[in-house]
Amino acid sequence: MKNFELFLTQSGIPIFYVKIGLGFIFSFLITFFSVPTIIKISRRKNLMDEPGMRSSHIRKIPNLGGIAIFYSIGICASIFAYELFDLYKFLFASLVILLYIGVMDDIVVMRAYKKLVAQIIVSSLIVIGSDIRIRSLFGIFGIYELTYIVSVIFSIVTFIILINAFNLIDGIDGLAGGYSVICSALFGISYYRLGEYNYPLVVLSVIIIGAVMAFLYYNLSNYRTNKIFMGDTGSMLLGFLLAFTSICFIDIFIDRALPNVPRYHLQSAPVIAVAILILPIVDTLNVIIVRLINKKSPFDADKNHIHHKLLKLNLTHRRSSFYIIIYYLFIVSIAYYFRHININLLLGVILLLGFLGAYIPDFIYLMKNNKKTNN
């Protein structure tokens, strides 16, 4: 690869743009041509997702699409964003562990505590081994720099929450995949604007977009024989990668004396990251709060997720995913526009808008019922 880069440099061709182009094309094609094989094997071996109480589908669907996403990202990131694996030694190992745990859970359904132990191990590897952690809260609740121990614990908990939060929003066609594409695009654009030191993260974001867009072609398919879910393998993998990219994004704005690394100042960086990931954060917090209020276990399955509420309004999967993503993109735009105001005020506004979005479907449902009653 380095010889290829040298050839491009001597030819006057920008290496970065070649990596972006090839990274997207190959990640898309690898996923696109891998999924049909996975569907065929899944049907032959009956490795299917069975409809259940929380399911929004009525027939058995293959649920190993996450394998194709991992396959694509693992190959393309190693080739076109190899600098990341040099810099963060435990990144690839973490992805492999998540692949194993995800596939096991998709096939035989692992116990929750076993998945949690694996997630703790993966998060610890990346936080402690690769030093990817939240070092400061930038003044949120008056807290600035965190001690090493607090930073490590807080970062591990953040990884675990986001990994599981993405798993929870993967309830209807196109939502987890579409939201991952949007998040990766937003982080990728941000990294691009922050300079060439962050270019490997831009390439990684583009590779994720390519892999997930190819998956969405099948996930949103109207043909029964083509349809596939990403399963826990895909949702955990994407949740982990987006947690990784969001913490890297926050870390850019921390004033550390590192050689040849430019630093930037944006007081609201953590809130911008929260705004980009607001859907899984709010959806998870909301269902946990509702379950606790109803004196149920936070781990009990129910249909209080935002996507379930929209389906209750007789919307299709595609329309529900589209409306959710558009609303939360609106929240990101608010966060970006007001990025220079007080950080605690901005966080409050973002969370308020996030929870409002979780209850707008309930208001619409009540209004519809009232109209029917009055008529």
Side-chain angles (χ1 to χ4, degrees), residues 117-138:
V117 169
Q119 290 168 5
I120 291 171
I121 292 171
V122 165
S123 302
S124 300
L125 280 175
I126 200 72
V127 171
I128 300 172
S130 297
D131 202 33
I132 297 297
R133 54 192 174 88
I134 300 170
R135 305 167 199 275
S136 171
L137 292 187
F138 291 71

Side-chain angles (χ1 to χ4, degrees), residues 25-42:
I25 291 169
F26 280 104
S27 64
F28 183 93
L29 292 176
I30 290 171
T31 303
F32 187 82
F33 289 110
S34 298
V35 169
T37 302
I38 293 171
I39 291 175
K40 189 184 296 183
I41 293 171
S42 296

Side-chain angles (χ1 to χ4, degrees), residues 141-181:
F141 308 125
I143 302 170
Y144 288 87
E145 187 174 350
L146 302 175
T147 64
Y148 179 76
I149 296 298
V150 173
S151 171
V152 166
I153 294 172
F154 184 61
S155 301
I156 290 173
V157 170
T158 299
F159 266 103
I160 292 170
I161 289 173
L162 288 174
I163 289 170
N164 288 289
F166 261 87
N167 189 21
L168 291 176
I169 68 168
D170 183 30
I172 58 175
D173 297 342
L175 183 55
Y179 199 76
S180 299
V181 168

Side-chain angles (χ1 to χ4, degrees), residues 51-331:
M53 190 269 286
R54 289 181 65 247
S55 301
S56 53
H57 59 287
I58 57 175
R59 57 178 180 267
K60 296 194 292 184
I61 304 290
N63 65 337
L64 294 175
I67 295 177
I69 295 173
F70 169 84
Y71 183 46
S72 178
I73 293 173
I75 291 174
C76 293
S78 299
I79 296 172
F80 301 110
Y82 64 86
E83 299 94 338
L84 291 176
F85 298 107
D86 287 338
L87 192 58
Y88 309 116
K89 302 296 183 184
F90 294 93
L91 178 58
F92 193 77
S94 299
L95 296 177
V96 172
I97 294 171
L98 283 175
L99 170 71
Y100 175 78
I101 298 302
V103 171
M104 287 286 290
D105 193 47
D106 287 330
I107 293 175
V108 298
V109 184
M110 294 179 65
R111 291 188 177 180
Y113 80 88
K114 290 184 178 179
K115 285 170 64 178
L116 180 60
V117 169
Q119 290 168 5
I120 291 171
I121 292 171
V122 165
S123 302
S124 300
L125 280 175
I126 200 72
V127 171
I128 300 172
S130 297
D131 202 33
I132 297 297
R133 54 192 174 88
I134 300 170
R135 305 167 199 275
S136 171
L137 292 187
F138 291 71
I140 295 177
F141 308 125
I143 302 170
Y144 288 87
E145 187 174 350
L146 302 175
T147 64
Y148 179 76
I149 296 298
V150 173
S151 171
V152 166
I153 294 172
F154 184 61
S155 301
I156 290 173
V157 170
T158 299
F159 266 103
I160 292 170
I161 289 173
L162 288 174
I163 289 170
N164 288 289
F166 261 87
N167 189 21
L168 291 176
I169 68 168
D170 183 30
I172 58 175
D173 297 342
L175 183 55
Y179 199 76
S180 299
V181 168
I182 297 299
C183 290
S184 296
L186 291 170
F187 280 125
I189 292 168
S190 300
Y191 285 128
Y192 178 76
R193 294 183 63 195
L194 290 168
E196 62 182 32
Y197 181 80
N198 303 296
Y199 280 1
L201 287 164
V202 180
V203 177
L204 175 63
S205 298
V206 170
I207 288 169
I208 294 172
I209 292 170
V212 177
M213 284 182 69
F215 162 78
L216 285 172
Y217 173 83
Y218 296 98
N219 181 235
L220 295 172
S221 173
N222 291 322
Y223 296 100
R224 180 179 174 183
T225 53
N226 279 350
K227 199 168 193 67
I228 193 169
F229 298 150
M230 67 171 65
D232 280 6
T233 308
S235 61
M236 287 200 298
L237 181 70
L238 292 174
F240 171 81
L241 285 172
L242 289 169
F244 169 79
T245 51
S246 64
I247 293 176
C248 287
F249 172 77
I250 296 169
D251 201 38
I252 291 171
F253 299 97
I254 294 175
D255 186 19
R256 290 189 292 149
L258 295 177
N260 303 319
V261 180
R263 289 290 151 187
Y264 307 88
H265 178 72
L266 180 61
Q267 187 72 18
S268 59
V271 181
I272 298 296
V274 168
I276 293 174
L277 299 172
I278 189 67
L279 170 60
I281 293 171
V282 163
D283 192 48
T284 301
L285 287 175
N286 182 58
V287 294
I288 289 174
I289 291 169
V290 169
R291 289 168 189 172
L292 292 175
I293 290 173
N294 293 328
K295 297 181 179 179
K296 293 182 179 179
S297 167
F299 305 103
D300 283 349
D302 57 32
K303 288 196 172 184
N304 286 317
H305 293 281
I306 299 169
H307 54 268
H308 287 136
K309 295 178 181 181
L310 286 173
L311 292 179
K312 202 171 162 184
L313 295 173
N314 296 320
L315 293 175
T316 63
H317 284 216
R318 290 187 183 187
R319 282 180 178 267
S320 299
S321 296
F322 177 76
Y323 290 149
I324 291 170
I325 290 172
I326 288 297
Y327 180 79
Y328 286 102
L329 269 176
F330 160 73
I331 294 179

